[in-house]
Amino acid sequence: MNTRTPILVSACLLGLNTRYDGKTKQCPAVCRYIEQHKLLPVPICPEQLGGMTTPRCASFFSFGDGKTTLIGDGKLQNEQGQEVTAHFINGAQQSLQIAKLTGCTTAILKQRSPSCGVNYVYLGTKKIAGQGVTTALLTQHGINVISEDDIQS
Ligand code: SF4
């Protein structure tokens, strides 16, 4: 029986090729942290879960951030100018469902992503203080979300 505590983790931080460009953003500090604390990583990619392809166009907020998007006061678009808000909300809901199914109460998500950003996201090309859509939804449901920056610091 596995006695490790499950933790939700952005799949790209674990070495999976889930990023918009089809690449990974593996973070050795996160992998070390998981091993040292005997955690069981539960990989999620909210953008894939939300129905987006890999590779895909990069996306960003055209206004608002994750928190405001969840109350209908935010939007996301991709580099081609297509609105992709519904994919991000869907991906956040699916991620929350996975957290509930697996009993995760903590998540390590990728900073600055429009889904996974914990303290910062992009509004157009400008980095702003804010949360990604999945981070916002998980936080609202009592899940403690930290980023790879918190692990490295
Ligand atoms: S949505 Fe999150 S998990 Fe998926 S590639 Fe982007 S940062 Fe990584």
Side-chain angles (χ1 to χ4, degrees):
M1 188 179 144
N2 198 324
T3 54
R4 291 184 170 222
T5 304
I7 183 167
L8 221 53
V9 187
S10 290
C12 59
L13 291 176
L14 293 171
L16 295 164
N17 296 323
T18 55
R19 273 169 53 101
Y20 71 92
D21 56 6
K23 295 182 181 166
T24 177
K25 199 74 180 173
Q26 189 174 35
C27 180
V30 168
C31 296
R32 254 195 323 273
Y33 178 89
I34 289 167
E35 202 43 50
Q36 279 167 359
H37 291 81
K38 303 267 177 268
L39 301 170
L40 178 67
V42 177
I44 52 155
C45 176
E47 290 171 26
Q48 289 185 339
L49 288 164
M52 301 177 88
T53 60
T54 304
R56 56 188 170 276
C57 290
S59 299
F60 49 85
F61 288 96
S62 49
F63 72 92
D65 80 331
K67 211 188 278 186
T68 65
T69 297
L70 291 176
I71 54 170
D73 196 22
K75 273 190 183 168
L76 296 110
Q77 68 177 63
N78 66 20
E79 287 169 326
Q80 292 181 332
Q82 295 160 327
E83 190 184 336
V84 288
T85 311
H87 287 300
F88 280 78
I89 292 174
N90 189 26
Q93 290 167 340
Q94 295 279 292
S95 299
L96 176 61
Q97 206 173 331
I98 291 173
K100 287 180 175 170
L101 285 168
T102 55
C104 290
T105 56
T106 305
I108 304 172
L109 302 187
K110 174 81 188 72
Q111 193 66 281
R112 293 175 290 279
S113 148
S115 294
C116 298
V118 179
N119 307 106
Y120 302 102
V121 291
Y122 280 94
L123 178 65
T125 56
K126 191 176 165 208
K127 189 170 89 169
I128 60 162
Q131 293 180 323
V133 182
T134 294
T135 296
L137 189 67
L138 293 176
T139 303
Q140 280 178 11
H141 285 78
I143 293 174
N144 176 36
V145 184
I146 60 173
S147 79
E148 77 277 23
D149 293 347
D150 298 314
I151 300 292
Q152 285 161 344
S153 59

